Amino acid sequence: MKLRIVLADDHQMFRHALRALLENDPGIEVVGEAADGEALLRLVEQTPVDIVCIDIGMPGMNGIEATRRLHAVRPDIRVIGLSAYADRQFVIDLLNAGAHGYVTKADASDELLRAIHNVRQGRTYLCPDVAGAIASALRFGTDAQASARQLTARERQVLQLIAEGHTSARIADRLHIAASTVEVHRRNIMRKLDLHNVADLTRYAIVNGICRAAD
């Protein structure tokens, strides 16, 4: 039986390039594509899936939150994260959400098939750039100031939505939390990052791969 793969990325051209790459392997079938986290969750309810390859920086429900929700309802599905960044915290957040692998988009043509075959066998797979970033962090550690500035997974989610232009009320609605809680997260984010307005938060989110610049 072929390995059934779903691709989740908001860039259609990138999904199509991945599909072409994966379907060169006779043991793989791409059974669906999704442009965001909500669409992905609907798709896996209706489609038999073995592995999901998911973009970390999708708008709305990002890849980390989608992975968390997917793992809660379908722990049998293995998830491989895709990102333009080899960010240590992204990797940790994604693995904590239930993923089994992480590949940078720059390495996808060389590493994604290798990742798929490793996670299929129950192993966790990190591409070389990511593994190197993790190793460096473990070797040299981080100072107390950097640790204090680290955002939680929820704060990253709120930051992404702020940077995408959503109001506190809209963010509260999307995350099913109170608007006052969103404001607490907003203040904590600004304090940790030492940033003081939405424009600065947006720049930080784009530079650090939490969201993309508008096309």
Side-chain angles (χ1 to χ4, degrees), residues 100-150:
H100 301 80
Y102 194 109
V103 173
T104 60
K105 290 187 174 183
D107 288 339
S109 60
D110 296 322
E111 295 292 328
L112 187 55
L113 281 170
R114 188 173 292 116
I116 287 170
H117 290 300
N118 272 272
V119 303
R120 182 185 197 180
Q121 297 172 39
R123 294 191 286 265
T124 297
Y125 186 85
L126 305 177
C127 73
D129 281 351
V130 171
I134 295 291
S136 294
L138 292 174
R139 185 178 304 116
F140 298 111
T142 55
D143 60 29
Q145 181 182 12
S147 296
R149 287 163 56 115
Q150 199 63 254

Side-chain angles (χ1 to χ4, degrees), residues 19-59:
R19 177 186 280 268
L21 170 71
L22 298 181
E23 290 187 338
N24 279 330
D25 188 316
I28 288 176
E29 179 183 6
V30 177
V31 296
E33 298 181 18
D36 57 56
E38 296 283 1
L40 170 63
L41 295 178
R42 290 193 299 269
L43 178 60
V44 299
E45 288 179 355
Q46 306 164 2
T47 308
V49 180
D50 299 306
I51 293 176
V52 169
C53 300
I54 188 169
D55 177 27
I56 302 301
M58 293 185 296

Side-chain angles (χ1 to χ4, degrees), residues 175-195:
L175 301 182
H176 308 290
I177 59 178
S180 59
T181 303
V182 175
E183 289 302 320
V184 170
H185 286 312
R186 185 193 293 263
R187 289 194 295 271
N188 287 341
I189 292 165
M190 288 181 169
R191 174 179 53 79
K192 288 182 177 183
L193 300 179
D194 194 25
L195 300 174

